[in-house]
Amino acid sequence: MFRRVVPLVFFVMVGLLGLVAPAQAAVSSMPVTGRFPSFDAPVYTIVHRGNVLYAGGQFTHVTAADGTVYRRLGAVAIDASTGSVLPWNPRVRGTVRAILPVGDRVVIGGDFTAVKGTPRNNLVMVKRAGVGKVDKLFRFQADGAVLTLAGGGSKIYLGGSFERLGGRARGHLAAIALGKQYRLTSWAPLAQDGGVSSIAVRRSGVYVAGGFEFLNGNHRFRKLALVRASDGRLVTSFDPPITRRVIDMVVTKQRVYTAIGGPGGGHAVASDRRSGATVWARFVDGDAQAVTVLGGAVYFGGHFSRACATHDSHGPAGCADALEIRKRGAAYSRSGTLLDWNPDANSAWGVLALDALPGLKELAMGGEFTTINGGANAIPYLAVFGTP
């Protein structure tokens, strides 16, 4: 996974001068029941704005807690407080992989051909209010899947497996300017030999992650890189030693947390946001596919069953302690201590999406699972966990 060894020295002063606070506990391993709807097929992306939770995937129907069945093709909006299914209904013909609310609009990306009967290839903008009418001025056809969306200033950034967008060549990355008219910008970093699965926009630039082997022709900055928001040039001071596919990423004020997968197992990794140096890495015995942060905990989801509790080096043999059971999900403190959260979900592919709901102190989890808590709770494809 790493192309060079970065020595890490931790000086821990527990109890001295009362400066170190205990790590915040994770959410409960028991899901919230009787509030949120169930789905008839997998959920691949979850995002919230305010009190509205948006979910996208392959589903065609959702069933509310009261038993009411709603036809929702690929995308749905839910009141996070009550669990009610909202009228928003863009009717996507295909699979939704990414959702981004922007002002009074919602941008949707994925593998699809039409939205509300309007031809759209893999990218569309709809109204946030009402039933989600298609914005007919936003017309940017992608020749491959759009897997990730991020907002930054007056632009939206997108990544995926596409090589052309709006009739112009693009190397799996692009940006569209918003305003009275929508415009494909000249921002065009080139990701090669692999797609882009996650983007995050910060003042320092645009973090891009995925399976690509080259970025702007440079093999050194593969899998995870930082580029300038103005022109897409590499920020070479950010130089993470990651050489395996990054499936998901979240960026905080100090850290870049990445969910990593590949043959032989995956990793949950924390990197310094400025330099990219590894702060800690924890082996999991399957792909880590989703990551988010809530309070003092970092949550990872995937199709793993066991997680390394402490420092490891290049796989299970490097774990200082035995691997601990964590089925399809695990939580770590920000310093890398394994916490108790264990959703114990089923299915081969497990968890594919996570979203923190800080206002409710809850965690939303989507994927291909159908049960939680070792089969005790039948909760198909979307589960929410609250604080104990």
Side-chain angles (χ1 to χ4, degrees):
M1 168 183 167
F2 302 103
R3 60 175 174 263
R4 63 183 182 275
V5 177
V6 181
L8 301 176
V9 181
F10 295 91
F11 296 93
V12 182
M13 301 177 65
V14 180
L16 294 181
L17 302 178
L19 295 178
V20 179
Q24 178 170 322
V27 295
S28 172
S29 295
M30 297 296 294
V32 174
T33 58
R35 188 168 113 219
F36 288 91
S38 61
F39 292 69
D40 66 350
V43 171
Y44 293 144
T45 185
I46 313 169
V47 66
H48 75 279
R49 282 297 182 272
N51 210 38
V52 178
L53 184 70
Y54 296 90
Q58 285 186 319
F59 51 85
T60 60
H61 294 83
V62 298
T63 302
D66 65 3
T68 303
V69 178
Y70 296 87
R71 189 168 184 261
R72 293 291 186 270
L73 302 180
V76 66
I78 302 165
D79 185 310
S81 294
T82 66
S84 300
V85 177
L86 300 177
W88 188 79
N89 183 19
R91 299 202 314 271
V92 180
R93 292 289 181 179
T95 302
V96 173
R97 304 281 183 180
I99 296 176
L100 176 68
V102 180
D104 62 354
R105 297 291 192 268
V106 179
V107 185
I108 301 173
D111 313 281
F112 51 81
T113 57
V115 178
K116 279 192 180 297
T118 303
R120 287 291 186 272
N121 288 333
N122 305 325
L123 183 66
V124 70
M125 179 181 281
V126 302
K127 292 184 178 181
R128 191 173 172 185
V131 296
K133 291 183 178 179
V134 173
D135 187 332
K136 296 185 177 181
L137 298 179
F138 187 92
R139 299 181 61 89
F140 299 93
Q141 311 287 356
D143 69 345
V146 175
L147 302 176
T148 180
L149 296 162
S154 59
K155 299 177 184 176
I156 58 170
Y157 296 84
L158 54 152
S161 61
F162 57 87
E163 295 182 346
R164 295 189 69 82
L165 184 73
R168 298 185 184 181
R170 288 293 184 270
H172 302 152
L173 287 161
I176 297 171
L178 305 177
K180 292 183 179 180
Q181 294 183 334
Y182 305 120
R183 176 178 56 86
L184 183 64
T185 74
S186 60
W187 188 85
L190 179 60
Q192 295 172 291
D193 293 351
V196 174
S197 56
S198 188
I199 298 176
V201 182
R202 297 293 183 270
R203 289 184 180 180
S204 50
V206 182
Y207 294 84
V208 297
F212 52 87
E213 287 292 329
F214 297 86
L215 191 66
N216 291 346
N218 197 319
H219 184 57
R220 181 181 182 87
F221 297 93
R222 59 195 185 274
K223 312 305 184 188
L224 176 63
L226 176 64
V227 298
R228 299 197 315 199
S230 57
D231 57 14
R233 295 179 63 182
L234 278 163
V235 178
T236 56
S237 58
F238 181 79
D239 187 15
I242 293 174
T243 61
R244 301 181 71 194
R245 182 168 62 111
V246 177
I247 301 174
D248 196 18
M249 164 183 63
V250 63
V251 181
T252 67
K253 290 182 178 180
Q254 296 182 324
R255 300 283 181 261
V256 179
Y257 296 103
T258 47
I260 293 175
H267 275 82
V269 178
S271 304
D272 182 82
R273 201 190 85 169
R274 290 173 175 79
S275 70
T278 304
V279 178
W280 51 262
R282 302 290 181 263
F283 173 81
V284 291
D285 67 350
D287 288 354
Q289 301 172 148
V291 58
T292 194
V293 175
L294 178 62
V298 188
Y299 295 85
F300 294 87
H303 61 75
F304 52 85
S305 296
R306 299 181 299 161
C308 194
T310 54
H311 175 70
D312 71 85
S313 57
H314 309 289
C319 285
D321 298 316
L323 290 166
E324 297 194 16
I325 298 296
R326 294 292 187 275
K327 290 189 175 180
R328 312 301 184 263
Y332 289 92
S333 71
R334 303 232 184 171
S335 61
T337 299
L338 184 65
L339 303 177
D340 291 339
W341 184 65
N342 176 20
D344 200 359
N346 69 340
S347 91
W349 287 106
V351 176
L352 299 166
L354 292 169
D355 186 42
L357 307 174
L360 298 173
K361 297 181 179 179
E362 293 178 337
L363 175 73
M365 182 178 88
E368 295 198 351
F369 57 85
T370 56
T371 68
I372 302 295
N373 194 23
N377 299 100
I379 301 180
Y381 309 114
L382 177 71
V384 176
F385 302 85
T387 52

